[in-house]
Amino acid sequence: MATLPITERTKISRAAKKGDYTEETIYSILDEGLFCHVSYVERETPMCIPTGYGRIGNKLYIHGSVGSHFMRAIADGRTVCLSVSLIDGLVLARSAFSHSVNYRSVVMFAKGTVVTDETERWDSLIAITEQFIPGRWDNVRLPTKSEMQKTMIISFPLEEASAKTRSGQPNDDEEDYDFPVWAGVLPLKLQAQTPITDPKMQFDLPVPEYISKLVVNEF
Amino acid sequence: MATLPITERTKISRAAKKGDYTEETIYSILDEGLFCHVSYVERETPMCIPTGYGRIGNKLYIHGSVGSHFMRAIADGRTVCLSVSLIDGLVLARSAFSHSVNYRSVVMFAKGTVVTDETERWDSLIAITEQFIPGRWDNVRLPTKSEMQKTMIISFPLEEASAKTRSGQPNDDEEDYDFPVWAGVLPLKLQAQTPITDPKMQFDLPVPEYISKLVVNEF
């Protein structure tokens, strides 16, 4: 896979060695995230909204209601900043100053395009649904024509983006290593818990395998 | 606790019933989050950076290096948008269209002020550290004068903010309830995993109780 060009906006200035511009790293972070923060400028004010997304190739897709103020704002071709942040752990150093976080994040800049091609629209909805829970799309009642008409889909080219990551143990000052405190990493993970069946279910169906397999130490 | 005034920027337009302007809800979401996304405008471009934070009363604090371009940008009094998003679960409906997410999010707008009072600076660092891991501050090597000089702290008044939340089961269309698919909620939680001791530790110390108690089904 390719490496994206470094622009003035995506160049990592602080801790430059944590920067990564390869599609491999950027795509892997995007593919693991469940939601992104979309930032845009509205009357000179920054706005930042969390929302789901999906990726197909070098395009990121966002969907929403055709009546959404947010969707209409980011559909008009202005530059938006999309940010996906995965938190992997707390870095518990000996000094307060050296505490840190292990994370993997992507920041991208792009202008949105309203998707009009019906095949691309359909495929992007599959991508957005499967981003949340792989296997779900094939098992649910698919969108009707009327639902499709209520849905706006915007694509963003993945051309100007950078990843920033930190992993591993604390980097304490040399003289702090003889400070007598436990030091290390407390890993964090967004984990699925026991599914809660909708009490309105009219059928006695088990939790599907593509859901139950996401739950650690259950079933 | 009070309710914040609804402004043009914080008014929830889509799904207005999910909006909440009470300090009680806003503070509880902020106190549970581990990081926020800070959006600001730089040469007419939206920028969005994830970072840690802490809260004391009706102020949110962010810290960083005095040399950080990001910190200097948001320190100059321009309006920033801070966003904290907690994801609580996937809402797995019968129709693809009715799929949703259970979440609790806060969006706030504020202008930053560089904190200069040394007591407030110190207290804000405690708040930022304790936001990550309560109990840590009292056990580590505290900041030196030199480290304090390298640290910039910016406060943001919590005066213009709104929360938006969703919880509970899917809201499918009436006619979809006889579609034979498992429906319900898959709860998600950011969970601490087994701590990884720094191999550079020079002492044989156990994982402190204030850390081990965060780990579910361990110890």
Side-chain angles (χ1 to χ4, degrees):
Chain A
M1 285 201 268
T3 296
L4 297 182
I6 303 175
T7 70
E8 201 181 340
R9 299 192 291 212
T10 62
K11 189 173 176 2
I12 309 285
S13 52
R14 294 298 298 175
K17 67 180 184 331
K18 293 179 185 167
D20 191 326
Y21 304 86
T22 63
E23 286 181 351
E24 190 179 358
T25 302
I26 292 167
Y27 288 3
S28 76
I29 294 169
L30 293 176
D31 291 353
E32 195 176 322
L34 283 180
F35 64 101
C36 64
H37 280 86
V38 181
S39 296
Y40 61 103
V41 184
E42 181 86 352
R43 279 167 294 183
E44 293 171 33
T45 299
M47 308 290 287
C48 182
I49 305 288
T51 190
Y53 66 91
R55 181 180 74 85
I56 302 175
N58 64 350
K59 281 187 187 173
L60 216 67
Y61 292 91
I62 283 175
H63 78 317
S65 166
V66 291
S68 155
H69 184 75
F70 162 65
M71 289 296 288
R72 285 185 296 196
I74 62 172
D76 71 1
R78 73 185 80 179
T79 297
V80 306
C81 175
L82 297 105
S83 187
V84 172
S85 306
L86 310 175
I87 190 158
D88 292 328
L90 307 181
V91 181
L92 303 169
R94 291 140 187 96
S95 68
F97 189 78
S98 293
H99 276 64
S100 188
V101 174
N102 285 338
Y103 63 91
R104 289 166 291 147
S105 67
V106 165
V107 172
M108 67 178 268
F109 298 92
K111 293 176 178 175
T113 302
V114 177
V115 182
T116 53
D117 179 83
E118 283 304 324
T119 305
E120 188 179 0
R121 276 164 55 78
W122 192 264
D123 290 346
S124 70
L125 289 179
I126 298 177
I128 291 167
T129 307
E130 295 283 298
Q131 178 88 16
F132 273 122
I133 186 153
R136 188 66 180 166
W137 183 266
D138 286 338
N139 291 280
V140 295
R141 200 269 288 153
L142 297 180
T144 61
K145 198 173 173 184
S146 156
E147 287 171 344
M148 289 302 288
Q149 282 167 348
K150 290 177 191 159
T151 304
M152 185 190 291
I153 294 157
I154 304 175
S155 74
F156 297 92
L158 253 161
E159 290 167 359
E160 189 178 359
S162 58
K164 197 171 178 185
T165 64
R166 191 213 184 276
S167 61
Q169 292 290 344
N171 296 315
D172 270 300
D173 291 348
E174 211 44 65
E175 58 270 30
D176 283 330
Y177 281 86
D178 58 9
F179 189 90
V181 64
W182 184 89
V185 170
L186 182 64
L188 297 173
K189 216 176 221 171
L190 191 66
Q191 283 187 327
Q193 314 292 309
T194 308
I196 304 166
T197 299
D198 188 348
K200 284 189 173 175
M201 260 189 65
Q202 296 174 7
F203 308 90
D204 185 21
L205 296 171
V207 176
E209 197 267 337
Y210 63 86
I211 298 173
S212 62
K213 75 175 182 189
L214 302 174
V215 183
V216 184
N217 298 328
E218 301 272 350
F219 300 93
Chain B
M1 283 200 268
T3 297
L4 297 183
I6 303 174
T7 70
E8 200 181 341
R9 298 192 292 211
T10 61
K11 190 173 177 1
I12 308 286
S13 52
R14 295 299 298 175
K17 67 179 186 325
K18 293 179 184 166
D20 191 327
Y21 304 87
T22 63
E23 285 181 353
E24 191 180 355
T25 302
I26 292 167
Y27 288 3
S28 76
I29 294 168
L30 292 176
D31 292 352
E32 194 175 322
L34 283 179
F35 64 102
C36 64
H37 280 85
V38 181
S39 296
Y40 60 103
V41 185
E42 181 86 354
R43 278 167 294 183
E44 294 171 33
T45 299
M47 308 288 288
C48 183
I49 305 287
T51 189
Y53 66 92
R55 180 179 75 84
I56 302 175
N58 65 349
K59 280 187 187 171
L60 216 69
Y61 292 91
I62 282 174
H63 79 315
S65 166
V66 291
S68 155
H69 184 76
F70 162 64
M71 289 296 288
R72 285 185 295 197
I74 62 172
D76 72 1
R78 73 185 80 181
T79 297
V80 307
C81 176
L82 296 105
S83 187
V84 172
S85 307
L86 310 176
I87 190 158
D88 292 328
L90 307 181
V91 181
L92 304 169
R94 289 139 188 97
S95 68
F97 189 77
S98 294
H99 275 65
S100 188
V101 175
N102 285 337
Y103 63 90
R104 290 166 292 148
S105 68
V106 166
V107 172
M108 67 178 268
F109 298 92
K111 291 175 178 176
T113 302
V114 177
V115 182
T116 54
D117 178 83
E118 283 303 325
T119 304
E120 188 179 0
R121 276 164 55 78
W122 191 263
D123 289 346
S124 70
L125 290 178
I126 298 177
I128 291 166
T129 308
E130 295 283 299
Q131 178 89 17
F132 272 122
I133 185 153
R136 189 65 180 166
W137 182 266
D138 285 338
N139 290 281
V140 294
R141 201 269 289 153
L142 298 180
T144 61
K145 198 173 171 183
S146 155
E147 287 171 343
M148 290 303 287
Q149 282 167 348
K150 289 178 193 158
T151 304
M152 185 190 291
I153 295 158
I154 304 175
S155 74
F156 297 92
L158 253 162
E159 292 167 357
E160 189 179 358
S162 58
K164 197 172 178 185
T165 64
R166 190 211 185 277
S167 61
Q169 292 290 344
N171 296 314
D172 270 299
D173 291 347
E174 211 44 64
E175 59 269 29
D176 283 330
Y177 281 86
D178 58 8
F179 189 90
V181 63
W182 183 89
V185 170
L186 182 64
L188 298 173
K189 215 175 222 171
L190 191 66
Q191 284 187 325
Q193 314 292 308
T194 307
I196 304 166
T197 300
D198 187 348
K200 283 188 173 176
M201 260 188 67
Q202 295 173 8
F203 307 91
D204 186 18
L205 296 171
V207 176
E209 197 266 340
Y210 63 87
I211 299 174
S212 62
K213 75 175 182 191
L214 302 174
V215 184
V216 184
N217 299 328
E218 300 274 348
F219 300 95

